[in-house]
Amino acid sequence: MSSKIRLLNHDVINKIAAGEVIENPSSVVKELVENSLDAGATEITVEIKGGGRQLIRITDNGCGMSPEDAALCLERHATSKIHDIDDLSTLVTMGFRGEALASIASVSKFTLVTRQAEDPVDLGTLVVVEGGKLLQSTSAARSPGTTIEIKSLFDNVPVRKKFLKSPAHDGAEVFKVMSVMALGNPDVKFQLIRDGKNVLNAPVTKGGLKERVGSVLGKEFFKACLPVESETIHGFVGNPSYTRHNRLGQYLFINRRAVISPVISRAVREGFGTTIPAGRFPVFVLHWDMPTFDVDVNVHPQKKEVRLRDEEGVIHTVREAISRSLRKKEAPQPVVASTFTRPPVYHPKPAPAPTVCESVVTYAVEEEVVHPEFKWTVEVAGPQVMTTVQGFILAEPEDGGGILLIDQKRAHHRILFEKMNKADGRAAMQTLAVPIQIDLTPIEADVMRQNLERLETFGFSIREFSKQAFLVDAIPQSFSNIDVGAMIKDIMEDLQVYPVAADGVREKQFARIALRGTISSQSKLSLPEAQELVKKLWNCQDKDQCPSAHRTWVLLDGEKLRELV
Ligand code: ADP
Ligand code: MG
């Protein structure tokens, strides 16, 4: 009898691991930038081409590697960061599993050039690996630090390649990763060059975190943010009028590590009390310095979730810090915000001297980037809302004569429609924190398969999970609080009825999809929500009618009012 069980060879093991750690270009960038940070780099430059498929190149001025380490670092479970299990409880580095480089090198053409500061200039090391096979390992000259270049990502793993999104999408994801890294490490200079253009420029400045927040999240937030300062928390929150309809504007770092904590998000929200309406979420960048003993970062394979020892205490501290900063907002504020001390890096070698401070904040952000925070528009305020009644908003016209009666549902429909139906033919997306699985009938699944591309232009990012199940990773940015599964099922039905993507049909589909995300005429809006809606309607290209060609508003002037009574 022959045995069915077989030990997998190294190459297969690495490729499986790559599937877990390395999903797309942005996860490659994340792993490599984390390595640079762990190496004590103060300057990190990332270059990508074709959304990262053609090229990802990361250059740092960190501690570099010896020739021995340069060879070893590509072995699986090779790490300089922990030696035994006890080290996990005092971990201050980003990585520790020793998997990233081996995984990445197994699914790409990988080149590493590195040198330690203490080694002679020409005794750096060059290592070339292709699909996990070592092709070259020689001495090479370079300045102290490390450069890693990745080409042909996933070329040898067709399945994974098939699941890559468009280069534009992948590029935007890399941008997000870099933004998070830059917000988490204000004392490190970050640069992202995308297809030859410098799209993110975050120098180290005297303004510390506040200027960093400005250079990454834009000047609007920079102007609208309030400092949060307590013994353990530093950072900024948007003032109560600067909120969003989702949590995408919430950046939380514990010991410089970007984390998601629904508990802390909720505590921040509670700190705002009743100053922001229901359904809106505060925007914040908060840094927490916590003894490593109090936080367990090892609970999640992608290390994005943390477990806190003293949740109650944490909630209390956050709530207090936020409400204190809101109370203080009337008082004049110091110009320069918090200074940051980084927790020590693991590498025993000293980090290079910090770069010279530059005092200008650069807002180098490309227009085309999908990320919502980076779009600046000039807006009009719109008429002043007086009250709401039965699905209508009553507002005072700008010239004061009469009453404007605005239909909230039709207004919202128009707003969503215009947001989706962008000139560039692609609606902006918002990534879901957790993908939503939808199960379809075989016929629906077939329709879905044929329409994945098209749904992407509507702002959905959906991938096949199994024969009849799909995973929704992103939905149109303009939607909030909707039943995604139900909406997609509806859209599938639509697509079966209107299978052609002719121009007029596309518009009608946008209109129908937008209608599904629309608030009902029954829902009661708070005054700030109504004001926001009116403002958005007044900033629409065609504010006078909804996409189904019904009027969005009427003016009741003196004459009409007299007719009524
Ligand atoms: P981990 O970060 O979990 O240790 P990686 O596979 O990401 O595993 O990296 C393996 C090792 O290679 C690291 O522990 C580190 O010693 C070394 N290394 C990786 N990138 C760099 C870099 N940019 N500078 C210096 N050393 C690095
Ligand atoms: Mg690592």
Side-chain angles (χ1 to χ4, degrees), residues 176 248 429-436 461 471-475 484:
K176 281 189 213 169
L248 284 180
M429 292 180 178
Q430 56 177 322
T431 314
L432 300 171
V434 182
I436 294 173
S461 168
L471 290 178
V472 185
D473 293 314
I475 59 172
V484 176

Side-chain angles (χ1 to χ4, degrees), residues 6 473 550:
R6 223 166 273 155
D473 293 314
H550 297 115

Side-chain angles (χ1 to χ4, degrees), residues 31-32 34-39 58 60 62-65 69 72-75 78-82 94-103 112 114 145-148 303 347:
E31 290 293 336
L32 297 183
E34 286 185 348
N35 281 347
S36 298
L37 289 170
D38 285 344
I58 308 220
D60 71 45
C63 66
M65 284 179 258
D69 282 352
L72 257 182
C73 72
L74 290 159
E75 293 290 324
T79 179
S80 56
K81 297 165 197 173
I82 56 172
M94 301 282 164
F96 56 86
R97 286 162 204 265
E99 292 185 323
L101 291 189
S103 304
L112 162 76
T114 185
T146 303
T147 300
I148 289 177
K303 296 164 277 167
H347 289 272

Side-chain angles (χ1 to χ4, degrees), residues 116-127:
Q116 304 186 101
E118 60 265 41
D119 289 341
V121 178
D122 51 351
L123 281 193
T125 312
L126 164 78
V127 177

Side-chain angles (χ1 to χ4, degrees), residues 221 224-231 233-240 267-273 275 282-286 316-334:
F221 181 64
C225 71
L226 308 167
V228 178
E229 283 293 338
S230 79
E231 211 175 294
I233 311 171
H234 324 258
F236 296 89
V237 287
N239 67 37
V268 174
R269 178 72 183 72
E270 284 166 17
F272 274 85
T275 55
V283 175
F284 59 77
V285 177
L286 290 176
H316 180 76
T317 314
V318 173
R319 220 190 282 139
E320 284 304 298
I322 300 294
S323 59
R324 211 172 28 244
S325 105
L326 291 176
R327 280 198 302 274
K328 262 205 288 194
K329 87 171 185 224
E330 313 307 340
Q333 276 147 34

Side-chain angles (χ1 to χ4, degrees), residues 500-519:
V500 262
D503 265 10
V505 173
R506 201 182 115 90
E507 284 230 331
K508 283 195 187 107
Q509 268 168 352
F510 270 133
R512 273 193 300 275
I513 294 170
L515 189 58
R516 295 207 171 81
T518 304
I519 46 166

